[in-house]
Amino acid sequence: MVLALLGILKAGAAFVILDAKYPAERLIDCLRQVQPKACIQMEAAGAIPPALEEFVTAWRAGWRSPKPQPRCATS
């Protein structure tokens, strides 16, 4: 995680840490506002709420457009 954050900062990008304990609606709103190009999901954080899982699945499916492809990794 530390290396990922250092790489993000070195690239001149930003990062947003979302706590899975927040209500799913708040997390979805945060994702809509920041419009991330990539995401890192840590399994150690536990399962994400079903509503958020649906949003993330639809969001990733939207990446399959002709636009440049963002990446999402699970660690």
Side-chain angles (χ1 to χ4, degrees):
M1 181 75 169
V2 173
L3 293 177
L5 294 177
L6 289 174
I8 291 166
L9 295 174
K10 178 116 175 121
F15 64 93
V16 177
I17 298 175
L18 301 174
D19 190 344
K21 295 176 186 167
Y22 288 154
E25 295 79 23
R26 181 173 179 180
L27 297 174
I28 290 170
D29 189 45
C30 288
L31 289 172
R32 284 188 177 133
Q33 289 178 16
V34 299
Q35 298 179 359
K37 304 290 184 226
C39 68
I40 298 173
Q41 177 183 348
M42 298 185 67
E43 291 177 7
I48 60 175
L52 183 59
E53 182 68 40
E54 289 176 22
F55 177 81
V56 170
T57 301
W59 182 53
R60 288 178 181 165
W63 290 350
R64 293 181 181 88
S65 63
K67 300 184 282 188
Q69 302 296 313
R71 297 175 297 276
C72 188
T74 301
S75 62

